[in-house]
Amino acid sequence: MLKKRSVTLKGHATSLALEPEFWSVIDKELSIVGGSLAGLVTSIDERREPDQPLSSACRVWALNRALSAGQD
């Protein structure tokens, strides 16, 4: 089941719907490095391909972070 969270990106409110497993990776990263959800999502947004949905970019980011954490 998807969980929605609201963020403001470049002055515009938007919501992201991701599975809890992806939110868990994102929450863990934020607890380690600090910062805000909006800041992290803005960073992901700025690096994604123009035709890639933001939710997809966040899932890929979370997957890559989880995989790299497993290699530490």
Side-chain angles (χ1 to χ4, degrees):
M1 178 159 81
L2 297 175
K3 301 240 180 203
K4 282 190 178 184
R5 293 195 190 171
S6 297
V7 294
T8 300
L9 301 176
K10 301 177 186 173
H12 296 93
T14 189
S15 63
L16 283 172
L18 302 175
E19 292 77 5
E21 294 83 0
F22 292 109
W23 284 124
S24 177
V25 173
I26 290 169
D27 291 339
K28 183 175 180 180
E29 180 71 8
L30 291 174
S31 73
I32 292 169
V33 301
S36 67
L37 176 60
L40 177 59
V41 174
T42 296
S43 174
I44 294 168
D45 183 43
E46 290 172 348
R47 289 181 277 174
R48 70 183 167 116
E49 295 295 322
D51 61 338
Q52 183 182 28
L54 181 57
S55 58
S56 175
C58 289
R59 285 183 181 95
V60 170
W61 179 90
L63 175 62
N64 287 333
R65 183 66 192 112
L67 290 173
S68 68
Q71 296 174 0
D72 293 342

